[in-house]
Amino acid sequence: RDNSQSEKAQEYAKNYQEGKKDIRELNAEAVNKLEQAVTGAPTVGDESLAKIDLGVAYAFFSQDPLKGLAVLKEVAANTEYHGFSRGRAMLKILTTFIVQRMDLEFARNNIFTGPAPWGNFMEGSKDVEESARKAYEWILQFGETPSANYYIASWYAMRLLEEKIDTSTLSPEVRNDYRDKFTSYREQAENWLPDMLATPLLELYEKVEILSNHGNVHALLYMLEGKEEERKTAELAYKQAMNMLTTFSDVGYAPVYEESYRRSVQFNYAKLLAHDAVINKKKELKNQIHELVLPIIEVKNQQVSAIIFLKNVGKLPKNHAQYWLTSHIAQVDLEFASFLKNLGWSF
């Protein structure tokens, strides 16, 4: 019996590791390997880990994103699974469909619907982004994770920034509450930042996401308060993330991963510089901003997440922070403005 259990564990480990490697290499064989890993998992914990990657593989390699979403939702909601797996599954869902694509309609119709916890996130929420914030808060019951804390902090900072764009939207009490919560969640994220960047448990792209989120939060803080040290902290984080991207090929990632994450990080960096160029009249940043957004302008595939993201941001109200910040880039870079118009934006 011990022997057969040992063989089962070895077979699981082989399929699981090969499946993860296939995802990195964008090899569709990942689906088959991970399905075998799930079926042959020796423990409930092993099963949950393999299912998360299977959900990701379905999202990558099947023409139906709902297939991957269904697997990830099942892991997140399964009370038999360890909190680490449940929180990680939720993180994958929110990052893939909301943060990277800003597909709020998809989220309303397919994520925040159904039995608990899914339908609960919409209750009392003004919009899908607030529901997403509640879902990130839900993750924190299983332990601290910078990705969740940074998103929640960003949500509060965005609302405060919108208050600057279009005043009288928040009462003084709510404004103070949002400021306090922004500070609290940001500080919690930063307490864990060194550990998260050092741990071997996270994929390299997850560390890039964390660094980029770190930059975003400090960029928003700079826009809110104008402190030069915050701008420098944001710039450093974006540059560290861009530097980390150069090591992707060393650990076996297909080139498309680096291209995708580079577009994302550089776009965030460009929003920071464009804010300076427009609000603080730093016209000398124009060329640098163009270089940062050029990889997005040159994308031909309309299904790339960066393109879907920008199409969806173009549908947001003009006083939404994401719309406002993206429009600053367009004010500085006419080629980017023309590119956005082709995606359906109207200025």
Side-chain angles (χ1 to χ4, degrees):
R1 177 183 158 79
D2 287 348
N3 212 22
S4 67
Q5 284 293 95
S6 171
E7 285 172 9
K8 186 176 183 180
Q10 286 173 0
E11 183 67 15
Y12 163 83
K14 178 173 176 286
N15 284 321
Y16 179 51
Q17 292 304 330
E18 286 182 2
K20 284 175 79 72
K21 183 171 178 282
D22 285 339
I23 289 177
R24 284 195 201 111
E25 295 171 357
L26 283 187
N27 180 352
E29 185 59 28
V31 170
N32 183 34
K33 299 268 177 58
L34 290 164
E35 283 176 341
Q36 288 180 49
V38 170
T39 308
T43 69
V44 171
D46 291 326
E47 178 184 286
S48 68
L49 290 174
K51 270 189 182 171
I52 292 169
D53 284 295
L54 179 60
V56 171
Y58 282 152
F60 277 6
F61 303 115
S62 103
Q63 296 307 305
D64 180 11
L66 293 176
K67 192 173 183 182
L69 177 61
V71 174
L72 291 168
K73 282 181 77 169
E74 191 264 313
V75 175
N78 191 333
T79 54
E80 289 184 14
Y81 289 154
H82 190 278
F84 174 82
S85 294
R86 297 180 67 196
R88 193 170 168 83
M90 181 69 85
L91 209 52
K92 294 281 185 196
I93 291 167
L94 298 172
T95 302
T96 304
F97 296 104
I98 298 177
V99 176
Q100 293 178 349
R101 301 164 77 92
M102 206 62 178
D103 200 337
L104 305 183
E105 200 59 32
F106 179 92
R108 179 183 284 108
N109 296 332
N110 300 290
I111 299 174
F112 302 128
T113 181
W118 307 104
N120 302 6
F121 296 127
M122 285 302 287
E123 288 174 15
S125 294
K126 186 164 64 70
D127 52 32
V128 172
E129 286 180 277
E130 188 172 355
S131 299
R133 192 206 78 209
K134 290 176 183 175
Y136 277 105
E137 289 168 356
W138 179 90
I139 291 171
L140 294 177
Q141 70 182 297
F142 303 118
E144 294 297 329
T145 167
S147 297
N149 280 312
Y150 276 134
Y151 181 89
I152 299 164
S154 292
W155 186 90
Y156 285 112
M158 290 267 195
R159 305 299 79 83
L160 290 167
L161 191 59
E162 285 159 6
E163 166 78 356
K164 286 186 77 170
I165 301 165
D166 185 11
T167 53
S168 76
T169 52
L170 301 175
S171 69
E173 295 78 19
V174 170
R175 197 179 307 131
N176 289 335
D177 179 52
Y178 280 16
R179 278 207 189 102
D180 290 345
K181 283 178 174 161
F182 167 65
T183 302
S184 173
Y185 282 107
R186 177 178 63 78
E187 288 175 351
Q188 286 173 55
E190 287 171 2
N191 287 340
W192 285 89
L193 185 65
D195 289 345
M196 291 295 122
L197 294 178
T199 180
L201 294 174
L202 291 184
E203 290 279 350
L204 203 53
Y205 69 81
E206 291 173 303
K207 296 180 181 184
V208 167
E209 285 171 359
I210 288 170
L211 277 171
S212 189
N213 290 336
H214 179 60
N216 292 346
V217 163
H218 284 275
L220 288 165
L221 192 51
Y222 169 64
M223 293 170 196
L224 288 168
E225 297 182 355
K227 292 178 183 170
E228 187 65 17
E229 69 211 62
E230 300 301 345
R231 187 187 64 77
K232 286 180 179 173
T233 300
E235 270 200 298
L236 180 61
Y238 294 139
K239 286 175 179 174
Q240 284 177 311
M242 285 155 63
N243 195 40
M244 193 177 278
L245 284 164
T246 63
T247 67
F248 267 36
S249 58
D250 299 342
V251 290
Y253 284 104
V256 70
Y257 279 94
E258 183 187 339
E259 292 161 14
S260 175
Y261 279 96
R262 188 169 296 284
R263 282 192 292 264
S264 172
V265 175
Q266 291 190 183
F267 176 66
N268 288 333
Y269 189 9
K271 284 189 288 191
L272 170 66
L273 297 184
H275 177 271
D276 258 355
V278 173
I279 304 298
N280 299 327
K281 309 286 187 258
K282 294 186 180 176
K283 300 291 186 241
E284 69 275 12
L285 296 171
K286 184 178 175 182
N287 290 342
Q288 193 181 351
I289 291 165
H290 181 71
E291 289 301 315
L292 288 170
V293 296
L294 193 58
I296 297 177
I297 295 171
E298 292 176 339
V299 169
K300 299 289 185 279
N301 179 1
Q302 295 295 296
Q303 296 311 306
V304 165
S305 56
I307 304 300
I308 294 169
F309 176 89
L310 287 170
K311 280 182 179 175
N312 287 325
V313 170
K315 299 170 190 170
L316 295 172
K318 287 186 167 53
N319 63 350
H320 188 290
Q322 283 285 15
Y323 186 101
W324 190 69
L325 293 169
T326 305
S327 69
H328 283 166
I329 303 175
Q331 287 179 54
V332 178
D333 193 300
L334 294 179
E335 192 179 345
F336 187 72
S338 171
F339 170 76
L340 290 183
K341 282 178 182 169
N342 289 336
L343 295 182
W345 280 59
S346 58
F347 297 102

